[in-house]
Amino acid sequence: MDTNDREHIRLKNGLLLTLRDAEPDDAERLLVYVEQIAGESDNVTMGPGEFGMSVEDERVYLKQIAEIPTSLYLIAEIEGEIVGTLSFSAGRRPRVRHVGEFGTSVLRKYWNLGIGHHMLMYLLDWARGTGIIRKINLRVRVDNLPAIHLYEKCGFVHEGRVSRELYIHGQFVGVFVMGMELDPK
Ligand SMILES: CC(C)(COP(=O)(O)OP(=O)(O)OC[C@H]1O[C@@H](n2cnc3c(N)ncnc32)[C@H](O)[C@@H]1OP(=O)(O)O)[C@@H](O)C(=O)NCCC(=O)NCCS
């Protein structure tokens, strides 16, 4: 396939990236993915073995996410391999239903190919399409320069800094809070 659409993107190295919603049957592969990311990056909120969800827990979670119109669990795949994820959840009650936070990651060997950017573009398009989401927030380690660059490039603005948000390898690390206000489509 040579045409790009929201779900099928030809990357700059020629590989075809597919973006799709996670399904309950992805549970086992997602746990393997999460474990790999936890071992590859200190920029996520868990280390190896710390996720604490069984395959069945994950399956139930994915089923719940799929049923909530303001939740998204996006999987990025290349040749059938999960290479990245982005998950977003909004509040459940009327006063916080319009606002949510996301987390994202890409396998290290696929960094800097634009996968993070394409997942974010998908998120923004999806969020506008809900007609409900009006604000997207994120937290990013203050020293995570590639992620900060990516978020700024996509239009997120800095809204503040929280100290001691993470404790990793015996040290506290702060995060920037960034956000984007959305108008519906
Ligand atoms: C952050 C992350 C999701 C980005 O994914 P990705 O697919 O590499 O993202 P992209 O390729 O779309 O964009 C990366 C950008 O960072 C830039 N970059 C790379 N290293 C950089 C650095 N040291 N300083 C500033 N920018 C840098 C790249 O040039 C690219 O920008 P460009 O497209 O304008 O050239 C990925 O690095 C990752 O999974 N990191 C570990 C987990 C993580 O940090 N998650 C985010 C937590 S908030």
Side-chain angles (χ1 to χ4, degrees):
M1 183 180 306
D2 285 326
T3 52
N4 281 354
D5 57 36
R6 194 171 84 160
E7 284 91 19
H8 305 94
I9 299 125
R10 185 69 63 187
L11 295 174
K12 47 191 167 192
N13 67 354
L15 290 173
L16 183 65
L17 175 73
T18 304
L19 301 181
R20 65 171 178 86
D21 288 337
E23 296 166 5
D25 282 350
D26 292 311
E28 194 162 359
R29 291 171 66 218
L30 278 171
L31 290 189
V32 173
Y33 171 84
V34 166
E35 196 56 23
Q36 193 170 347
I37 287 291
E40 283 188 352
S41 174
D42 283 340
N43 290 325
V44 289
T45 52
M46 77 203 96
E50 293 176 1
F51 190 47
M53 297 258 280
S54 68
V55 174
E56 198 42 42
D57 292 342
E58 181 73 1
R59 177 180 285 279
V60 169
Y61 173 72
L62 292 170
K63 192 166 178 294
Q64 286 168 351
I65 292 282
E67 287 164 0
I68 301 170
T70 52
S71 291
L72 175 71
Y73 198 131
L74 188 64
I75 287 183
E77 278 182 326
I78 292 176
E79 293 170 349
E81 181 187 15
I82 297 176
V83 300
T85 62
L86 183 153
S87 63
F88 172 93
S89 289
R92 300 297 293 272
R93 301 193 178 96
R95 292 183 184 186
V96 290
R97 199 168 165 244
H98 66 283
V99 58
E101 194 164 320
F102 74 90
T104 188
S105 62
V106 172
L107 287 184
R108 182 178 282 267
K109 67 177 168 172
Y110 293 102
W111 284 0
N112 298 322
L113 291 173
I115 297 172
H117 185 255
H118 288 298
M119 288 197 292
L120 276 171
M121 291 296 106
Y122 186 107
L123 168 70
L124 298 180
D125 195 42
W126 167 84
R128 289 191 181 99
T130 64
I132 300 169
I133 310 293
R134 303 296 302 276
K135 177 77 195 295
I136 297 179
N137 292 328
L138 68 90
R139 283 156 195 261
V140 58
R141 273 179 69 140
V142 294
D143 56 359
N144 189 350
L145 300 183
I148 293 166
H149 168 84
L150 174 61
Y151 300 142
E152 287 173 345
K153 183 171 143 176
C154 290
F156 286 85
V157 296
H158 288 257
E159 297 194 347
R161 181 179 175 138
V162 181
S163 70
R164 293 195 172 191
E165 179 80 348
L166 297 162
Y167 183 71
I168 299 182
H169 305 315
Q171 290 207 311
F172 293 110
V173 188
V175 294
F176 291 127
V177 178
M178 299 178 74
M180 186 187 295
E181 296 180 359
L182 289 183
D183 292 323
K185 265 182 184 168

